[in-house]
Amino acid sequence: MKVEHIGIAVKSIEEAIKVWCDILGFKLEGIVEVESQGVRVAVLEVFNGVKIELLESLTSDSSVARFLSKRGEGLHHICFEVKGIEKILLTLKSKGIKLIDKSPRAGALGNKVAFLHPSSTNGVLVEIAEAGSLKV
Amino acid sequence: MKVEHIGIAVKSIEEAIKVWCDILGFKLEGIVEVESQGVRVAVLEVFNGVKIELLESLTSDSSVARFLSKRGEGLHHICFEVKGIEKILLTLKSKGIKLIDKSPRAGALGNKVAFLHPSSTNGVLVEIAEAGSLKV
């Protein structure tokens, strides 16, 4: 599994871009709205193929809104790219990993994704995403 | 800048290894103790050159201990590999980024590292590390 992206919860994408792009120098690939999840996502490119996703909430009850309300801005999740997501979910479940998504759903960029529950992974929200078609 | 590693604060490295290595399949490269920072670090290899560091506190007053006490286990920091860390720190400071380390110090693996203050980077603890000599 390789790291596909790191998600960061932010209050305002526009303000965060001033830091992560204008100062730290990451390239903005695009901004997408994912209404089904109530988030707006800015995708930044990092040198070794890893992306950073800046996540802004579009609604007051999205998971990003709840995170911001509880913890403030900060690291939200890691996404690993996998091949054969359905089989991997079954394997992880059989080994005792608690799943948020028992079967894949459509991710921000149209690909198949699933989240593992942080209670099984040392407090880390882990996303797995099927390799391929991860384009903005 | 490329992502060098992602740091995860955990209560017990041995317990965390059961999840991240035995179930999720990452390879354990080694475990080092960094007494100056009061932490024990397990370095895991991820496919695209990014590492995961599982961080366990050796003392009750380390920054990892404070993080665990405040937030519980979870994503702790991201480290980016850079070239010319001293110049980069000066540039970041001149652009208004608050620095935890105004000059580099020795990191877990003997390389030059510095931390940026999360208040300047959307709540994310960012480490930068000089490229090269990042070996366990």
Side-chain angles (χ1 to χ4, degrees):
Chain A
M1 298 205 290
K2 69 172 211 174
V3 178
E4 208 280 322
H5 69 258
I6 298 161
I8 299 172
V10 302
K11 288 179 193 163
S12 156
I13 279 180
E14 278 64 32
E15 289 301 314
I17 282 174
K18 290 180 190 169
V19 174
W20 293 88
C21 298
D22 300 350
I23 299 180
L24 295 178
F26 298 112
K27 188 184 159 202
L28 177 64
E29 286 196 351
I31 297 178
V32 289
E33 287 198 6
V34 191
E35 291 205 14
S36 62
Q37 290 173 46
V39 291
R40 197 163 153 251
V41 182
V43 181
L44 315 186
E45 195 184 341
V46 184
F47 188 73
N48 51 343
V50 180
K51 294 180 177 65
I52 288 175
E53 288 190 359
L54 303 173
L55 310 164
E56 180 190 273
S57 185
L58 290 170
T59 64
S60 58
D61 61 350
S62 69
S63 71
V64 170
R66 288 195 299 273
F67 182 94
L68 287 169
S69 156
K70 193 175 166 192
R71 296 199 166 191
E73 295 187 313
L75 290 168
H76 183 265
H77 70 274
I78 321 179
C79 177
F80 297 101
E81 192 177 293
V82 299
K83 286 183 183 168
I85 188 168
E86 287 88 352
K87 194 175 169 189
I88 288 171
L89 284 172
L90 288 174
T91 305
L92 292 175
K93 192 179 172 194
S94 75
K95 291 187 176 178
I97 298 289
K98 192 173 167 188
L99 307 177
I100 291 176
D101 300 300
K102 289 184 181 56
S103 56
R105 55 183 164 108
L109 310 178
N111 52 314
K112 286 183 187 174
V113 305
F115 284 88
L116 317 185
H117 198 284
S119 62
S120 294
T121 46
N122 301 95
V124 178
L125 180 59
V126 173
E127 179 182 7
I128 58 175
E130 185 70 35
S133 73
L134 294 164
K135 298 279 175 276
V136 179
Chain B
M1 297 206 290
K2 70 172 213 175
V3 177
E4 208 281 322
H5 69 257
I6 297 160
I8 299 172
V10 302
K11 289 179 192 162
S12 155
I13 279 180
E14 278 64 31
E15 289 302 313
I17 281 174
K18 291 180 190 169
V19 173
W20 295 87
C21 298
D22 300 351
I23 299 180
L24 295 177
F26 298 111
K27 188 186 159 202
L28 177 64
E29 286 196 350
I31 297 178
V32 288
E33 287 198 6
V34 191
E35 291 205 12
S36 61
Q37 290 174 46
V39 292
R40 194 162 155 253
V41 182
V43 182
L44 314 186
E45 196 184 340
V46 184
F47 188 72
N48 51 343
V50 180
K51 293 179 178 66
I52 288 175
E53 287 190 359
L54 303 173
L55 311 164
E56 179 190 274
S57 186
L58 290 171
T59 64
S60 58
D61 61 350
S62 69
S63 71
V64 171
R66 288 194 299 272
F67 182 95
L68 287 169
S69 157
K70 192 175 166 191
R71 297 198 167 192
E73 294 187 313
L75 290 168
H76 182 266
H77 70 273
I78 321 179
C79 176
F80 296 102
E81 192 177 293
V82 299
K83 287 183 183 169
I85 189 169
E86 287 88 352
K87 194 175 168 188
I88 287 171
L89 284 173
L90 288 174
T91 304
L92 293 175
K93 193 179 171 193
S94 75
K95 291 186 176 177
I97 298 288
K98 191 173 167 189
L99 307 177
I100 292 176
D101 300 302
K102 290 184 179 58
S103 56
R105 57 182 162 111
L109 310 179
N111 51 315
K112 286 183 189 176
V113 305
F115 284 88
L116 316 185
H117 199 286
S119 62
S120 294
T121 46
N122 300 96
V124 178
L125 179 59
V126 173
E127 179 182 9
I128 58 175
E130 184 69 36
S133 73
L134 293 165
K135 298 280 176 275
V136 179

